[in-house]
Amino acid sequence: MDIDLESQFTGALIGSAVGDALGAPVEGYSREKVNSVYGARGDWEMKSGRYTDDTEMMIGVAESLIENRGFNGADMAHKFILNYDVSRGYGPGSKEVLRRIRAGESWEAASEQLFFGEGSYGNGAAMRIAPVGILYFDNAEVLREIAYKSSQITHAHVLGKEGAALQAYSIALAVQGHKEDMLPRLKAFAKEIYNEKLNTVERLLGGDMEEKEIITELGTGVAAFDSVPTAIYAFCRFDTFEDAVAYAISLGGDTDTIGAMTGAICGAFYGEEAIPGRWIEKLEEGEKGRSYIKKLGNELYRIKMHP
Ligand code: AR6
Ligand code: MG
């Protein structure tokens, strides 16, 4: 495949925002209820171009990586706080962490206190990881390190971090043009329960499964392990950005986040041009809207080319 690398960078970020905005109006809906809003897959129109916390936090990750030409935890946490708009629908854990950091706790320590000292394994660290996946696409070790560190700001549980690392690595492999051979590479990279989940993805891709089974076996929930593997499945199963993202959202559940994750992987693989124009045009504009998100992708590309 011969796709412009810069278009893969902007495609990952815009793809993530498009998937988020497309899934947002049906967040928490059952499969049947999503169907009643969007209709059968094919020709979906975006209902509202407004993105949610997934994209707002992804913007913070990108801004901080660009400004610091790499990871700076205190600054990234600060960017999250500066961008924070409660109406975007943050998870309860992330809200609590940002409140703690605003009150003076360090970016490294604040997230450790959550969920009785376990830390969060919610999908909030993985949903915003696209900038890490593209900037470190050619170095799996550094990619995992930065995915873990950027997760630590809000998600201290190893399953939250490993979910973010796996999502970032999926985006990285997509940038490199791996699709048919993505799963074995992911399996060699993945740790913890994600290995079993990837085996399930492989088995499900091998058969003609009912959507009900996909939902039960892979999950469509707010935990990272119930959403990242589902996005990977959707990417692997379909051949276009539109089909994969609409499918991921059609399953219901945490639709904005699973849409964002699928959109990021697809955008990184197919490039920005492959994202339906009618969806990009509908995506919100304004201070930190679609043009700004594209610019962040351009800048990450520039940093990659001229470190
Ligand atoms: N033990 C039990 N439940 C947990 C644990 C744990 N250690 N960790 C997470 N949960 P949160 P997020 C459950 O609150 O990941 C937005 O709508 C718990 O129910 O850290 O940023 C986005 O669009 C917790 O509330 O927030 C995403 O859909 C939930 O997982 C989502 O929220 C989410 O973890 C992202 O949320
Ligand atoms: Mg959201």
Side-chain angles (χ1 to χ4, degrees), residues 29-190:
Y29 284 20
S30 67
R31 187 168 60 98
E32 294 74 18
K33 226 174 142 199
V34 175
N35 192 273
S36 75
V37 172
Y38 276 119
R41 271 181 297 116
D43 300 329
W44 280 15
E45 290 307 324
M46 197 181 265
K47 301 280 172 201
S48 153
R50 191 161 196 267
Y51 61 68
T52 76
D53 57 324
D54 303 49
T55 302
E56 190 160 86
M57 293 197 97
M58 177 194 78
I59 289 171
V61 171
E63 289 172 335
S64 185
L65 289 175
I66 291 165
E67 228 178 273
N68 298 277
R69 297 200 147 244
F71 182 74
N72 176 331
D75 179 73
M76 196 176 279
H78 186 60
K79 294 280 188 287
F80 291 159
I81 289 168
L82 282 178
N83 290 339
Y84 183 76
D85 170 354
V86 67
S87 75
R88 301 273 183 192
Y90 283 73
S94 294
K95 263 189 193 166
E96 165 75 7
V97 172
L98 296 182
R99 192 190 58 73
R100 282 170 178 270
I101 298 174
R102 228 182 284 120
E105 284 186 43
S106 84
W107 69 270
E108 283 170 297
S111 62
E112 297 279 352
Q113 309 302 317
L114 266 67
F115 299 101
F116 306 102
E118 258 197 352
S120 174
Y121 53 60
N123 53 24
M127 74 190 183
R128 65 180 188 230
I129 205 72
V132 174
I134 55 179
L135 189 60
Y136 302 101
F137 80 87
D138 51 358
N139 189 331
E141 234 170 86
V142 175
L143 173 143
R144 175 177 261 125
E145 184 199 327
I146 306 298
Y148 268 58
K149 285 181 175 165
S150 67
S151 299
Q152 178 68 30
I153 302 171
T154 50
H155 291 68
H157 197 291
V158 67
L159 295 180
K161 292 178 182 173
E162 194 53 31
L166 184 63
Q167 170 67 12
Y169 195 53
S170 304
I171 293 164
L173 290 174
V175 168
Q176 295 172 56
H178 297 296
K179 183 162 186 274
E180 300 308 320
D181 58 345
M182 180 183 265
L183 273 180
R185 289 167 192 267
L186 286 178
K187 282 204 282 182
F189 175 87

Side-chain angles (χ1 to χ4, degrees), residues 87-307:
S87 75
R88 301 273 183 192
Y90 283 73
S94 294
K95 263 189 193 166
E96 165 75 7
V97 172
L98 296 182
R99 192 190 58 73
R100 282 170 178 270
I101 298 174
R102 228 182 284 120
E105 284 186 43
S106 84
W107 69 270
E108 283 170 297
S111 62
E112 297 279 352
Q113 309 302 317
L114 266 67
F115 299 101
F116 306 102
E118 258 197 352
S120 174
Y121 53 60
N123 53 24
M127 74 190 183
R128 65 180 188 230
I129 205 72
V132 174
I134 55 179
L135 189 60
Y136 302 101
F137 80 87
D138 51 358
N139 189 331
E141 234 170 86
V142 175
L143 173 143
R144 175 177 261 125
E145 184 199 327
I146 306 298
Y148 268 58
K149 285 181 175 165
S150 67
S151 299
Q152 178 68 30
I153 302 171
T154 50
H155 291 68
H157 197 291
V158 67
L159 295 180
K161 292 178 182 173
E162 194 53 31
L166 184 63
Q167 170 67 12
Y169 195 53
S170 304
I171 293 164
L173 290 174
V175 168
Q176 295 172 56
H178 297 296
K179 183 162 186 274
E180 300 308 320
D181 58 345
M182 180 183 265
L183 273 180
R185 289 167 192 267
L186 286 178
K187 282 204 282 182
F189 175 87
K191 294 183 179 167
E192 309 277 344
I193 192 188
Y194 291 98
N195 254 307
E196 289 155 46
K197 281 279 192 167
L198 290 170
N199 283 330
T200 308
V201 168
E202 196 167 39
R203 178 167 54 77
L204 294 173
L205 283 170
D208 202 10
M209 294 292 169
E210 293 269 328
E211 288 179 1
K212 261 190 303 199
E213 291 169 74
I214 308 292
I215 294 167
T216 326
E217 298 223 35
L218 294 179
T220 54
V222 290
F225 44 82
D226 285 333
S227 44
V228 175
T230 314
I232 293 168
Y233 173 82
F235 167 70
C236 290
R237 176 164 160 182
F238 296 93
D239 292 322
T240 65
F241 181 98
E242 181 165 354
D243 285 347
V245 172
Y247 177 81
I249 292 168
S250 76
L251 298 173
D254 197 0
T255 49
D256 57 326
T257 295
I258 300 173
M261 291 170 173
T262 309
I265 305 171
C266 291
F269 185 77
Y270 299 111
E272 185 189 333
E273 290 73 23
I275 303 173
R278 67 183 194 284
W279 288 353
I280 298 183
E281 281 156 29
K282 188 80 197 265
L283 188 63
E284 69 176 78
E285 193 46 307
E287 199 196 345
K288 296 196 176 176
R290 66 181 124 80
S291 304
Y292 184 74
I293 295 168
K294 181 178 163 93
K295 206 179 84 194
L296 293 173
N298 296 135
E299 285 178 29
L300 285 166
Y301 174 75
R302 224 162 286 135
I303 291 177
K304 189 71 193 170
M305 291 301 110
H306 307 285

